[in-house]
Amino acid sequence: MDISQINKVDEIVKASLAQGITYEQYREKVKDLVAQQSTSGLEQSEDRVNFTVLNDRRMKRWDKTIKVPQDIQEAVSKFQTKVTWLVITESWCGDAAHVVPAINKVAELNDNITLKLVFRDEHEALMDEFLTNGGRSIPKLIMVEDATGEVINTFGPRPTKATEMVEAYKAEHGALTPEFKEELQVWYNTDKGQSVISDLVRLLL
């Protein structure tokens, strides 16, 4: 990547950070969308409206029940660099409903970590700089060093274990089926955010 491209990415990230909202504001936004029988994003389909309702319930549950193990709490508390975790998301995204609450739980453990969220379809230029295998997969966490504005790491759209499940299924079947997506939701429910938490700690080491 040449200097002009680096500068372009830095400016896109900086602009997105300025427009980012807190996790609390994000949760309120999703609740408002549910009340309005609407969804975030450009596609206002019945399916996505229904997914937003379901995901609001999921996030409410995870906000109450995700627990961070003591050893991980101690590891996160030692992180001393001031960073912002900029997360690209949408209310209808099933992976985001499971992953983003876990991200928030870790960010809450250290005042050096600021969490901000933006909606993918409102930040297409940002999304296109952080594609996954050429796709606009979300959620996507971009770790930015506050002092320099430099992007120092990324995470997402899924924890490592879920990514391995998806890639193995695609290799065997060619595409994800509704049955597999249901299986993935069951995995998230069983995992209880622990794989996301483990992956995030590795970002901070």
Side-chain angles (χ1 to χ4, degrees), residues 71-80 109-112 204:
D71 61 328
I72 290 182
Q73 292 185 39
E74 293 171 1
V76 173
S77 70
K78 295 175 183 177
F79 183 72
Q80 296 185 352
L109 297 173
N110 191 319
D111 289 341
N112 289 321
L204 302 175

Side-chain angles (χ1 to χ4, degrees), residues 79-84 111-114 144-148 152:
F79 183 72
Q80 296 185 352
T81 304
K82 288 189 176 297
V83 297
T84 298
D111 289 341
N112 289 321
I113 303 172
T114 300
V144 184
E145 186 175 45
D146 291 352
T148 64
I152 54 179

Side-chain angles (χ1 to χ4, degrees), residues 66-114:
I66 288 178
K67 305 296 182 186
V68 182
Q70 186 63 36
D71 61 328
I72 290 182
Q73 292 185 39
E74 293 171 1
V76 173
S77 70
K78 295 175 183 177
F79 183 72
Q80 296 185 352
T81 304
K82 288 189 176 297
V83 297
T84 298
W85 284 356
L86 178 60
V87 176
I88 309 171
T89 186
E90 291 286 356
S91 67
W92 48 262
C93 176
D95 289 299
H98 295 290
V99 171
V100 175
I103 292 174
N104 178 60
K105 290 289 184 181
V106 176
E108 287 181 329
L109 297 173
N110 191 319
D111 289 341
N112 289 321
I113 303 172
T114 300

Side-chain angles (χ1 to χ4, degrees), residues 12 16 117 142 183:
I12 291 171
S16 298
L117 301 101
I142 303 158
E183 180 182 331

